[in-house]
Amino acid sequence: MMTQITIALTKGRILKETLPLLEAVGIVPAEDIFSSRKLVFQTNRDSVRLIILRGSDVPTYLQFGAADIGIAGKDVLLEHQGDGYYEPLDLGIARCKLMTAVPVGAPVQTGRLRVATKYINVARQYYAEQGRQADLIKLYGAMELAPILDLAHEIVDIVDTGNTLKANGLVPCGEIADISSRLIVNKAAMKTKHTEIQAIVDAFQNAVLKP
Ligand code: AMP
């Protein structure tokens, strides 16, 4: 029987940059992903299917072996803190930075800091390393709104061009990590489907080296 490989992709911005890379690897979805509401896509290879997930769910599928290979932002992987998967390759796509940001001209906060973010684990570690006491407030989106409405003094979020921060009266402040998308592989699958998975990892490596 043919060995089936399931590749979990992150939808949205990362997906747009992933598809050309997948094509360079020789994997082409059987239909247009963007104009479909499907979550599972067959490809030009009978043995390979794609699933389309929210970024933060990709490491979960990989951890439990529901997918063999995944593509997710390093921000998501840092926050997930799971195991059960390897991270063999930096794909160099969807580059950005994970940063703190504060309102323009905000006074230095001397007391206890309130920080809004969806990256609670990353933020906890960062402020601890900085030796700063911080109360973390979990949000699921639109972090930039929190300082405007006084929910938080600052935020931890992804910054690419900085336009989103600027449009909301914020400025980037502390750099936490350089982010790009990574290829991840379920540890058990790496053993049981080694030949097939290694071939795909190698093809990604070549595609990254020769964009
Ligand atoms: P920008 O205005 O270009 O700084 O983009 C900032 C917003 O776009 C952030 O709030 C993120 O939600 C999103 N974003 C930008 N780049 C990425 C990326 N590589 N991965 C995930 N989200 C991103």
Side-chain angles (χ1 to χ4, degrees):
M1 210 181 79
M2 188 170 44
T3 303
Q4 278 288 332
I5 303 291
T6 301
I7 305 181
L9 304 181
T10 295
K11 66 179 166 192
R13 180 180 308 235
I14 294 178
L15 185 59
K16 288 201 185 75
E17 294 190 45
T18 299
L19 289 181
L21 209 49
L22 258 187
E23 199 176 332
V25 165
I27 298 171
V28 181
E31 60 190 291
D32 180 34
I33 292 181
F34 292 107
S35 61
S36 170
R37 306 196 72 138
K38 279 192 188 173
L39 302 171
V40 182
F41 292 86
Q42 301 305 318
T43 70
N44 59 326
R45 293 197 200 173
D46 287 343
S47 59
V48 178
R49 65 177 174 176
L50 308 173
I51 58 173
I52 311 297
L53 302 174
R54 235 189 127 98
S56 46
D57 288 336
V58 171
T60 307
Y61 273 72
L62 265 289
Q63 180 171 0
F64 292 102
D68 303 299
I69 296 175
I71 292 177
K74 183 66 181 176
D75 54 326
V76 163
L77 301 179
L78 288 171
E79 181 63 18
H80 186 256
Q81 300 186 337
D83 53 12
Y85 51 84
Y86 300 112
E87 188 190 312
L89 199 55
D90 182 346
L91 298 173
I93 59 171
R95 288 183 186 279
C96 54
K97 285 183 189 296
L98 199 49
M99 301 195 69
T100 69
V102 296
V104 180
V108 175
Q109 196 61 37
T110 48
R112 218 175 156 85
L113 197 63
R114 277 197 322 277
V115 181
T117 185
K118 64 177 174 190
Y119 301 99
I120 291 283
N121 293 328
V122 173
R124 185 183 302 114
Q125 195 179 338
Y126 173 76
Y127 288 100
E129 280 166 8
Q130 301 285 311
R132 299 206 59 183
Q133 294 260 34
D135 292 324
L136 303 173
I137 301 171
K138 169 88 180 181
L139 291 178
Y140 292 88
M143 264 78 80
E144 304 81 17
L145 198 53
I148 296 174
L149 296 186
D150 237 2
L151 176 63
H153 302 110
E154 57 185 68
I155 63 171
V156 167
D157 198 7
I158 292 286
V159 182
D160 180 15
T161 61
N163 290 340
T164 306
L165 292 181
K166 201 169 171 190
N168 291 289
L170 301 173
V171 280
C173 189
E175 274 199 38
I176 300 178
D178 283 319
I179 304 299
S180 54
S181 298
R182 310 298 164 99
L183 195 76
I184 56 178
V185 177
N186 173 262
K187 282 185 178 173
M190 192 66 185
K191 289 202 186 77
T192 57
K193 306 181 184 178
H194 185 265
T195 309
E196 294 81 5
I197 288 182
Q198 192 60 52
I200 293 175
V201 172
D202 289 346
F204 268 103
Q205 174 108 60
N206 286 331
V208 170
L209 292 175
K210 291 180 259 144

